[in-house]
Amino acid sequence: MGRAHRESYGGEMSTAASMVFYCLVFIAEILMFGVLSLVLFWVVHYRGGFAWREDVKLEFNYHPVLMITGFIFCMGHAMLVYRLFRCCNKLTAKILHTFLYLLAVPCIVVSTIAVFDSHNLRDPPIPNLYSLHSWLGVITIGLFGLQLVVGFFSFWLLLCCEHGTAKFRAGLVPVHATFGIVTFMLAIATAVTGYTEKALFTLKDPETQKSTYSELGNEAIVINTQAAALAALGILLPVMVAVRPFRRRWSERLTEHL
Ligand code: HEM
């Protein structure tokens, strides 16, 4: 690891690029904290809060909250680490990036258990994996798992033989970054279909059982706002990660230590 990790990585941005970048950071943070607060507010205020297996209807509520926490909040911040912490060395950024990724794992696992329970423990049970949303969900979770395994293997385990694997690891960086963006976008598409489904399932007139979604009541606005914030994040984060002027400029020598 040596000297390269002790040195600062802070490739400079132009003043104009810096101003645009930090404006985008500000908006992205509002959106990420906003959508997390709003999903919590929604399930607590409108959907009865949380319970575990004693009330599977309420157990479902862990699903949107923890999926948003894992896939949007943790993964979104993990994606931004290398752009945000320009003053720290590469190793610190890498540890933080891995930590945020790992933090998403229990959220995704518990959220998946909760949603399967909410189907399997119903009386009568609801079939699993029939919807478009659930298919997208399986692909998203699969891609996330693959990213985690490949990332851990290539950027941590292969450090055992740092010099011998440097080229291979450097070659994997753009692949890992691209798949990260793809997984994040897919998570957004999955979450948006989940919100639509939930709105169509639950926003109903209690007497006639007719959908009231089209009346755009308060709960519908809260649901749509979350999905709109996710769409905005789906534009913003890939731009912040992929646009060249926002990237750090690595020296040849430092790139060897990726
Ligand atoms: C991005 C993260 C998400 C992933 C990966 C995901 C994944 C899944 C999966 C795999 C299922 C199938 C469970 C089964 O068949 O037993 C499911 C069900 C469900 N999810 Fe999500 N979900 C996500 C976010 C959301 C959000 C934000 C909502 C909003 C409320 C939501 C609402 C639902 C609903 C209503 C179901 C039950 C109906 C169905 O199976 O389609 N999901 N989800």
Side-chain angles (χ1 to χ4, degrees), residues 60 63 67 115-116 119 128-129 131 133-134 187 190 194-195 197:
F60 170 85
H63 177 64
M67 282 302 187
V115 78
F116 273 90
H119 279 199
N128 291 310
L129 303 179
S131 64
H133 168 73
S134 61
T190 307
Y195 281 120
E197 222 179 56

Side-chain angles (χ1 to χ4, degrees), residues 26-154:
F26 182 67
I27 299 169
E29 289 299 338
I30 290 181
L31 289 170
M32 283 191 280
F33 277 96
V35 80
L36 189 60
S37 316
L38 214 52
V39 71
L40 262 172
F41 168 75
W42 172 51
V43 300
V44 171
H45 187 74
Y46 290 102
R47 296 282 119 223
F50 302 100
W52 198 238
R53 288 183 174 149
E54 65 277 9
D55 186 340
V56 286
K57 272 193 176 170
L58 296 188
E59 185 179 352
F60 170 85
N61 290 342
Y62 282 112
H63 177 64
V65 171
L66 290 176
M67 282 302 187
I68 294 297
T69 310
F71 273 112
I72 307 301
F73 192 82
C74 295
M75 207 178 150
H77 279 101
M79 281 165 68
L80 288 184
V81 159
Y82 289 107
R83 299 288 175 277
L84 272 178
F85 295 88
R86 307 181 91 84
C87 53
C88 25
N89 64 35
K90 185 72 193 289
L91 183 62
T92 312
K94 200 163 156 179
I95 290 171
L96 203 57
H97 178 77
T98 310
F99 173 75
L100 285 164
Y101 242 96
L102 289 179
L103 209 60
V105 174
C107 299
I108 293 167
V109 170
V110 175
S111 165
T112 307
I113 294 172
V115 78
F116 273 90
D117 276 358
S118 77
H119 279 199
N120 297 334
L121 307 181
R122 281 281 171 101
D123 191 18
I126 301 171
N128 291 310
L129 303 179
Y130 66 88
S131 64
L132 167 64
H133 168 73
S134 61
W135 284 30
L136 289 181
V138 169
I139 298 170
T140 309
I141 295 169
L143 269 183
F144 176 86
L146 201 68
Q147 270 287 89
L148 201 70
V149 172
V150 172
F152 194 74
F153 174 75
S154 18

